[in-house]
Amino acid sequence: MNMFVIGYYAALIAASCLAAYYKNNKAFMLLFSLTLVSFIVGIIGGVSALRVITIAAGLLALAAGISYAFKEFLVQLSRPNLAKELRTAPLTASFGMFVIFTYAIAGIFAPWIAPHGEAEVIASTFAPPDENMLLGADQLGRDIFSRIIFGARNSVGLALVATILAFLMGAIGGLLAAVKGGWFDQLAGRTADVIMSVPSLIFALLMLSIFGTNLTVIVVVVAVIYSPRVFRLTRAVAGNIVVMDYIEAAKLRGEGDWYLIRKEILPNSTAPLIAEFGLEFCFVFLLIAGLSFLGLGIQPPTADWGSMVRENATLISFGDITPLIPAGAIALLTVSVNFVVDWMLFRSSGLKEQ
């Protein structure tokens, strides 16, 4: 243990000195701050605390390395203009894109990646991990790892479909309200206000209790809940565009509403709408996961991350963190999408790195 402590501090101090010698101020501040924090934590927690810090720092370094490599991979595959934009992406955005890519691969190729079927019973109840089950079995003896892989297809796929529907409803309504104005604008705006005044979870629970919990109902209900958010943003963005001179010139030429939306307004409002799509996906994804946790979302035996947390929550009482894995998968995807959205918002705002 003494050799570990000596080697740990020697490595940090050596790395800090190298960063200072090569005048890399950011790396020096990071490494020397880690040295000071490790010194305090080591006094309080001992060698075990230093090992935890070492593992955490190693995981962060691994994530940073993977993010940088994935960004360079995308740069090599992209066209010059897009490659230039990708080179300016921070590591957080690169990490988010890598996680999204990984989830997409898991969802698309789930039947080939998962070693067992999502509803296949292969062991006893809560069987421990072995050579056939990486994470053990659930309350019915199904492979948890396989169900997590299939859950990527079901949970993310359903949230994506609901987000697309909500976005289409809200964006089309917002664009039409901005172009037409008058009574249509007032009616659509007040309808959106009424829907947004009801808490989303309560509204979803009420609608699903009335109409049932099949996938079509879930998609429509969730889309109705979140389409007003898209409507208000689209209406605000398009409202600033319809007063421009080139819109008036197009109207004087006799162009119709569809032409104005498709050729004039939509191309000039793409950036904030794309960013809003990412945010909407996070909200929709979390709502669907919450409904599944409450038993009103995706129904068994279909694998879903929200329901998997509920079904295996008993294991937490025995010190098993397996139920936290699907919860971690939900959190990781949400954070990753937000990383990408933050970068896109930064780019669309016109700000530049100093």
Side-chain angles (χ1 to χ4, degrees):
M1 291 187 179
N2 291 333
M3 292 300 298
F4 170 77
V5 174
I6 293 173
Y8 177 82
Y9 284 113
L12 281 179
I13 293 173
S16 300
C17 292
L18 284 174
Y21 178 79
Y22 287 104
K23 301 185 184 303
N24 192 329
N25 294 329
K26 291 184 179 180
F28 170 75
M29 291 299 298
L30 176 64
L31 291 169
F32 196 70
S33 298
L34 180 59
T35 305
L36 296 178
V37 171
S38 299
F39 181 73
I40 297 174
V41 173
I43 293 176
I44 299 174
V47 178
S48 59
L50 291 181
R51 293 187 185 276
V52 172
I53 293 178
T54 304
I55 294 173
L59 291 176
L60 287 176
L62 178 62
I66 293 175
S67 302
Y68 181 79
F70 186 71
K71 180 172 73 171
E72 291 300 317
F73 173 74
L74 293 178
V75 168
Q76 296 300 323
L77 295 179
S78 304
R79 295 180 179 178
N81 292 337
L82 181 58
K84 183 179 179 180
E85 294 289 344
L86 288 173
R87 288 188 185 278
T88 64
L91 286 180
T92 52
S94 303
F95 176 76
M97 288 186 283
F98 174 75
V99 171
I100 294 172
F101 174 78
T102 303
Y103 277 53
I105 293 298
I108 295 172
F109 300 102
W112 294 274
I113 297 176
H116 305 284
E118 61 179 325
E120 182 180 357
V121 178
I122 61 173
S124 59
T125 301
F126 295 133
D130 55 25
E131 64 275 5
N132 294 322
M133 298 182 299
L134 182 62
L135 300 176
D138 63 5
Q139 84 282 5
L140 296 179
R142 299 169 296 189
D143 180 30
I144 292 179
F145 175 74
S146 298
R147 287 182 62 78
I148 288 177
I149 297 298
F150 278 101
R153 164 183 287 187
N154 301 326
S155 301
V156 180
L158 184 64
L160 185 61
V161 172
T163 304
I164 292 174
L165 180 59
F167 205 79
L168 289 175
M169 293 169 58
I172 293 174
L175 292 170
L176 289 176
V179 172
K180 291 184 175 299
W183 67 268
F184 182 85
D185 186 15
Q186 292 296 321
L187 178 62
R190 300 297 77 76
T191 303
D193 292 340
V194 170
I195 296 175
M196 292 185 68
S197 67
V198 183
S200 58
L201 184 58
I202 295 177
F203 187 88
L205 292 175
L206 178 63
M207 292 296 102
L208 293 177
S209 299
I210 296 174
F211 297 106
T213 56
N214 63 75
L215 297 183
T216 303
V217 174
I218 294 174
V219 168
V220 173
V221 168
V222 173
V224 170
I225 290 174
Y226 284 108
S227 59
R229 292 174 52 91
V230 184
F231 168 83
R232 296 186 68 177
L233 175 69
T234 308
R235 174 65 182 84
V237 174
N240 294 329
I241 297 175
V242 294
V243 297
M244 296 294 180
D245 292 340
Y246 59 88
I247 299 293
E248 294 297 330
K251 290 181 178 179
L252 292 175
R253 293 198 310 266
E255 305 292 353
D257 293 341
W258 174 242
Y259 177 89
L260 295 177
I261 292 174
R262 183 168 51 93
K263 293 293 186 178
E264 303 292 352
I265 300 176
L266 198 56
N268 292 291
S269 57
T270 303
L273 292 181
I274 292 176
E276 177 65 17
F277 182 86
L279 293 175
E280 284 296 312
F281 173 80
C282 292
F283 292 130
V284 169
F285 182 58
L286 291 175
L287 177 61
I288 290 177
L291 292 173
S292 298
F293 181 81
L294 296 174
L296 290 175
I298 301 176
Q299 298 300 304
T302 305
D304 173 74
W305 290 339
S307 60
M308 288 181 66
V309 176
R310 183 190 74 250
E311 293 167 355
N312 300 289
T314 308
L315 294 175
I316 299 179
S317 303
F318 300 96
D320 192 336
I321 64 171
T322 302
L324 299 180
I325 296 177
I330 295 171
L332 181 61
L333 180 59
T334 304
V335 172
S336 299
V337 172
N338 275 281
F339 281 157
V340 178
V341 169
D342 287 343
W343 173 57
M344 296 178 65
L345 286 174
F346 180 83
R347 289 180 57 245
S348 64
S349 66
L351 299 175
K352 300 296 181 183
E353 295 273 4
Q354 299 296 326

